[in-house]
Amino acid sequence: VLDPRLAPPRFQGGSVEAVKIPTKKGSYCAAIVYRVPEQSLNANTRTIIYSHGNATDIGAMFPLQAILAHSLECNVVSYDYSGYGESGGVAMEANTYTDIMGVYAWTLSNICDGDESRIILYGQSVGSGPCCYLACRENGLGGMILHSPFMSGMRVLTPSRALACLDIYPNIDRIRKSKCPVMVIHGRLDEEVEISHGVAMHQAVPNHYKRDPWWVPDRGHNDITEGPGKLAEYIGRLRSFMGTLDD
């Protein structure tokens, strides 16, 4: 039985369902799928695959995902990594890669009718790791949003490359090979992952795929959408990004 927080809310239109998505390692990812109303679907309807940050799960992210689905008129697939929430398996870097590959394959088959251009990856903090991993491997993705991303795990602790062999999530190397439009969001007051990481990630995106970043002047690592007007601005920025995906 999935977490009771995952029960569908009673909002008008669309649907919400809890699913278990199998992975190649024989485990599964618990996920929530937010679908736009059938009458609103068209050939351009996008689907966001949301890879959340470290200290949360899909239950805690529930309100924001519902807002994204309704405000952007897109489907949202939000999933927990192995070892998180109701997902099986063990929490480790390699498993997050298997997780997102499984979620991507499921989404492509069950929601997007095999059209990868309708999929947008969204990676928040540690979620930038699996997203960058997938984005440099798959051709034809619709786009990617990186929210408070880091260049790599070790670089968050020290700029020294003396321990590079122990590094995890080498995002800065993978983003250079991204094959879809990329938007970076980062708070200027971020004390967990300095904004220099977000700036470096944006600069490393191939020029053809660069989209306008959002350097949020008065926000840190986890509060980008909090405060008067911030949620509305956030939605507006995402809507603008999505409007560039057919350029």
Side-chain angles (χ1 to χ4, degrees):
V1 178
L2 293 180
D3 191 311
R5 290 176 296 172
L6 308 185
R10 295 183 178 180
F11 54 74
Q12 185 174 2
S15 66
V16 181
E17 62 177 322
V19 299
K20 290 185 176 181
I21 300 175
T23 72
K24 286 186 176 181
K25 291 190 176 182
S27 186
Y28 63 87
C29 291
I32 294 296
V33 181
Y34 307 76
R35 296 178 186 263
V36 298
E38 187 173 347
Q39 63 269 22
S40 299
L41 290 174
N42 58 62
N44 296 318
T45 299
R46 312 278 186 177
T47 296
I48 293 175
I49 295 178
Y50 199 108
S51 300
H52 60 65
N54 184 49
T56 189
D57 61 20
I58 55 176
M61 297 299 296
F62 194 96
L64 180 61
Q65 311 312 317
I67 290 171
L68 289 177
H70 281 264
S71 299
L72 299 177
E73 296 184 345
C74 66
N75 304 309
V76 179
V77 179
S78 180
Y79 70 100
D80 274 336
Y81 313 116
S82 294
Y84 282 67
E86 297 294 326
S87 290
V90 178
M92 56 188 298
E93 180 192 7
N95 285 346
T96 64
Y97 301 148
T98 304
D99 295 340
I100 197 170
M101 291 296 289
V103 172
Y104 169 71
W106 185 92
T107 302
L108 192 61
S109 175
N110 291 275
I111 299 180
C112 297
D113 297 322
D115 185 356
E116 62 272 11
S117 70
R118 290 160 56 185
I119 293 178
I120 299 172
L121 304 181
Y122 191 119
Q124 181 173 2
S125 190
V126 73
S128 60
C131 284
C132 288
Y133 174 86
L134 184 62
C136 74
R137 282 165 171 74
E138 295 295 329
N139 292 309
L141 287 169
M144 179 167 65
I145 300 163
L146 298 178
H147 179 152
S148 306
F150 47 78
M151 291 186 281
S152 71
M154 192 64 70
R155 286 181 174 92
V156 176
L157 303 177
T158 174
S160 171
R161 303 308 294 147
L163 298 176
C165 61
L166 303 177
D167 210 353
I168 62 172
Y169 296 121
N171 296 336
I172 192 66
D173 300 321
R174 290 169 175 162
I175 196 69
R176 296 188 176 100
K177 303 173 186 176
S178 61
K179 303 171 183 178
C180 64
V182 179
M183 175 190 184
V184 178
I185 300 171
H186 214 112
R188 292 187 179 276
L189 302 184
D190 195 329
E191 295 182 351
E192 295 180 43
V193 179
E194 293 183 357
I195 192 173
S196 59
H197 285 257
V199 171
M201 291 289 286
H202 171 69
Q203 292 174 342
V205 175
N207 287 333
H208 177 66
Y209 294 127
K210 274 190 176 76
R211 295 297 187 268
D212 290 342
W214 183 26
W215 311 130
V216 192
D218 52 353
R219 289 294 181 271
H221 193 67
N222 295 311
D223 60 353
I224 297 291
T225 63
E226 296 178 8
K230 274 294 182 287
L231 182 58
E233 184 176 6
Y234 169 74
I235 294 297
R237 298 273 184 165
L238 297 187
R239 187 178 289 121
S240 295
F241 167 71
M242 293 174 69
T244 73
L245 299 183
D246 295 321
D247 292 352

